[in-house]
Amino acid sequence: MQTEALLARFLHDLAPLRPLALWAHGSLAGGDYQEGRSDLDLIAVLPGPLTLGTVRRVIRTHRRLRAEPLAAGLHCTYLTPAASADPGRSHLTWAHGRATRRPVTPVTRRELHDFGRVLHGGPPAGLLPPVPDRQLKEFVVRDQRDYWRPHVDRARLWRQDVWVDLGLLTFARATVTLRDGRLIPKREALTELTALGAPAEVVEDITRRRYGTPAPRDEAWLAGRAELTRAYLGPAIDALVTAYG
C-alpha cells in the first residue's frame, strides 16, 4: 500500500529529529481514508525547542519526499511538549508544499484523544491535555460563525471542489458535534447532510468524487452548484449559530 510505504519513509527520515511521537488524525485515523483522495493529516511531537536549524531540517525532510507517491497530501504539524497545551498557539506546519504555522485546534485535539492513530511513540493522552466539551463546542460555533459564514459570501470560491466539499462537510460535522457531542467521519457527514436538507445533487457530487467515479461537469454546472451550495449553507450556518451560540 502506497500510504504505508510513505508513512514508513517519512518516519525514517524524521528519525534524526528524535520524535517523541507521531500521530495521525482526520480520515486516516477515523476509518474513512481513501488512498489517492484523502490527505494524510499528521502531528509530530519533537523534543524541542524548535530552533532555526530544526525548522530547516523539517523543511528538507519534506522536500526530499516530494517525488514519492501521495506526498503532496502529507501534512504535518510539529509540537513540542512545552508548547502543546494552548489550542490557540500556532505551530510549525508543512502543508500544501510549504512551511507555515497553524494551531492544533480543539477539534483536532479531540480527534487525537478519541481515535488518533499512533504511528510512533506514546499516545496523545500522555502529551496533550484533554479537551473539555465546552471548549470544543465554543470553537465549533466560532469556526462556523467567524470563518465559514463570511466565506459563503465570496461567490467565486464556491466553484472550487475544495470549498464545496469542506464547507458542507464541516457544517454537517459541526452540527453533530454541537447536537450530540461527538465527532463523525466524512462518510457519515454526507448522510447527515441529506438529513439536514442539503441539495441532493451537491451531496451526490461530493459522494461520487470521494467514493466513486466523478460525473462530467462544465462551467454552467459548476456555477449552478456554487449557487445551490451558498443558498443552502448561509442560512444553515446562521440557524446553527443562533441555536448554539
Side-chain angles (χ1 to χ4, degrees), residues 10 69 74 86 108 157 176 179 182 185 192:
F10 178 58
L74 190 154
D86 181 3
T108 296
L157 298 175
V176 173
R179 186 187 67 207
R182 62 189 182 93
E192 187 68 27

Side-chain angles (χ1 to χ4, degrees), residues 85-187:
D86 181 3
R89 182 167 180 167
S90 292
H91 305 274
L92 172 66
T93 300
W94 181 270
H96 306 294
R98 64 186 183 91
T100 184
R101 295 187 67 83
R102 291 181 182 175
V104 180
T105 70
V107 170
T108 296
R109 290 165 181 264
R110 177 63 71 87
E111 283 187 0
L112 288 167
H113 279 286
D114 286 359
F115 52 81
R117 177 179 168 184
V118 177
L119 302 173
H120 169 76
L127 290 163
L128 284 179
V131 181
D133 288 344
R134 180 175 177 179
Q135 183 186 76
L136 176 66
K137 292 184 176 182
E138 286 177 350
F139 171 80
V140 168
V141 170
R142 189 166 62 249
D143 185 55
Q144 288 290 302
R145 182 192 65 219
D146 297 346
Y147 181 82
W148 285 105
R149 185 60 183 89
H151 280 82
V152 172
D153 294 331
R154 299 175 63 185
R156 62 179 180 82
L157 298 175
W158 298 89
R159 294 192 179 211
Q160 302 174 46
D161 291 343
V162 65
W163 281 94
V164 172
D165 295 3
L166 286 179
L168 286 171
L169 292 171
T170 302
F171 168 73
R173 297 170 89 176
T175 299
V176 173
T177 297
L178 294 171
R179 186 187 67 207
D180 303 335
R182 62 189 182 93
L183 304 179
I184 61 172
K186 291 177 180 176
R187 188 183 289 274

Side-chain angles (χ1 to χ4, degrees), residues 50-101:
L50 295 189
T51 65
L52 181 58
T54 305
V55 172
R56 288 172 173 165
R57 293 184 74 172
V58 166
I59 292 172
R60 286 198 300 269
T61 296
H62 284 279
R63 286 177 173 169
R64 284 197 299 265
L65 288 175
R66 280 178 169 172
E68 297 294 322
L70 310 180
L74 190 154
H75 305 154
C76 188
T77 295
Y78 293 84
L79 302 179
T80 65
S84 63
D86 181 3
R89 182 167 180 167
S90 292
H91 305 274
L92 172 66
T93 300
W94 181 270
H96 306 294
R98 64 186 183 91
T100 184
R101 295 187 67 83

